[in-house]
Amino acid sequence: MRSESHWPGGPPPPPPPIAASHRKTPLGGWKKDLKDRLTGAVVVSILVTGLMLLSGTGLLRTRPGSTASVIDPDGLWAGILVVGAPLIWAFGQVKFSRMDKGFRTHGLPSLMLVSTGLAAMLQILLMLTWPLVADDSLAGHVVLTQYHANPLAFCLVAVFVIALYAWTTVAMLGFAGKGAGTSALGTVGWLIIAGVGAWQGIVMFENPATMSSFWVWAGIALLGLVLIPVIAAVRVHDRRPQNMFS
């Protein structure tokens, strides 16, 4: 081996360290993650509300130029939109470019609970405009037309929306898990929420509000909210040994 004296000007510099991948460090702090999730919620809620209001103009169609393909602002369209919003919002939070897939290892339970609740409340408020364009063929006492005027109708829709957001968040935490099994369960959960949510949303919007329906969805919403921090805490615990410095 050659000594340092054999190298003009000293030994060659060591090779530069391999640049740390951006996947090695979670991005931002708790407040930034909350801001990102709320920004996504604003965009999604405005999007679905805009689609609902646009359907009231008669300009929204499944096929351009076809008068037979006009999308009416009825219970069917409302049911699809109300379940579409939390699904889009949830999927937008998954960031495969990050090691933690967008779900930090510190403060995740509180982050998910707070962001889910605020996102649901935002959609609940924007949906107050939906009855303004409700199809005239709907009976005046159904939930879609009474949401902004009937307290029971408002409360029913509110707990329904909270339930959708809560259970979508639970499914998302599984989808973004570290194992194929939990990811598969999360995907199945999303599919179930999409199908059952749209079906129940259509039934809810096209019928009068009832106390029995309110209590059922209130219970489902409460259970989902309880599970969010629990599932998030389990996820953090499972990841912590591999991410001690995140």
Side-chain angles (χ1 to χ4, degrees):
M1 179 179 295
R2 302 176 64 181
S3 66
E4 293 186 3
S5 61
H6 294 140
W7 296 97
I18 300 175
S21 170
H22 63 285
R23 291 174 59 90
K24 297 298 183 182
T25 304
L27 305 178
W30 192 94
K31 290 183 179 180
K32 183 182 183 302
D33 282 349
L34 177 61
K35 180 181 177 181
D36 291 343
R37 282 166 167 76
L38 293 183
T39 299
V42 170
V43 172
V44 170
S45 296
I46 291 177
L47 173 64
V48 296
T49 297
L51 289 174
M52 185 65 180
L53 299 180
L54 184 60
S55 68
T57 67
L59 300 176
L60 194 61
R61 305 166 188 266
T62 56
R63 294 193 303 275
S66 174
T67 57
S69 62
V70 175
I71 297 178
D72 296 317
D74 53 13
L76 173 61
W77 184 230
I80 294 173
L81 292 178
V82 77
V83 73
L87 291 173
I88 297 172
W89 173 74
F91 190 76
Q93 297 181 46
V94 182
K95 296 179 175 61
F96 291 105
S97 60
R98 285 172 50 166
M99 178 194 62
D100 58 8
K101 296 184 180 178
F103 301 92
R104 56 191 300 105
T105 54
H106 296 289
L108 182 63
S110 59
L111 173 66
M112 300 313 301
L113 187 59
V114 172
S115 62
T116 300
L118 292 178
M121 294 306 299
L122 177 63
Q123 182 171 334
I124 289 168
L125 293 176
L126 287 181
M127 285 173 61
L128 288 170
T129 62
W130 291 19
L132 301 178
V133 296
D135 196 331
D136 294 336
S137 64
L138 293 173
H141 58 279
V142 300
V143 168
L144 182 55
T145 61
Q146 289 293 303
Y147 174 58
H148 64 321
N150 185 326
L152 180 57
F154 175 84
C155 292
L156 174 59
V157 173
V159 294
F160 181 76
V161 171
I162 294 172
L164 287 177
Y165 271 86
W167 283 97
T168 302
T169 298
V170 170
M172 174 180 58
L173 289 169
F175 174 80
K178 64 178 181 179
T182 56
S183 296
L185 287 175
T187 302
V188 171
W190 268 356
L191 294 175
I192 293 174
I193 292 168
V196 175
W199 164 47
Q200 287 298 309
I202 295 169
V203 171
M204 177 188 66
F205 282 120
E206 291 186 343
N207 289 279
T210 63
M211 284 300 301
S212 59
S213 296
F214 167 77
W215 286 117
V216 168
W217 283 109
I220 295 174
L222 179 60
L223 179 59
L225 291 175
V226 170
L227 285 177
I228 289 174
V230 173
I231 301 299
V234 171
R235 186 179 188 279
V236 169
H237 181 269
D238 290 341
R239 290 180 59 87
R240 187 161 289 160
Q242 290 79 28
N243 299 283
M244 294 179 63
F245 300 102
S246 61

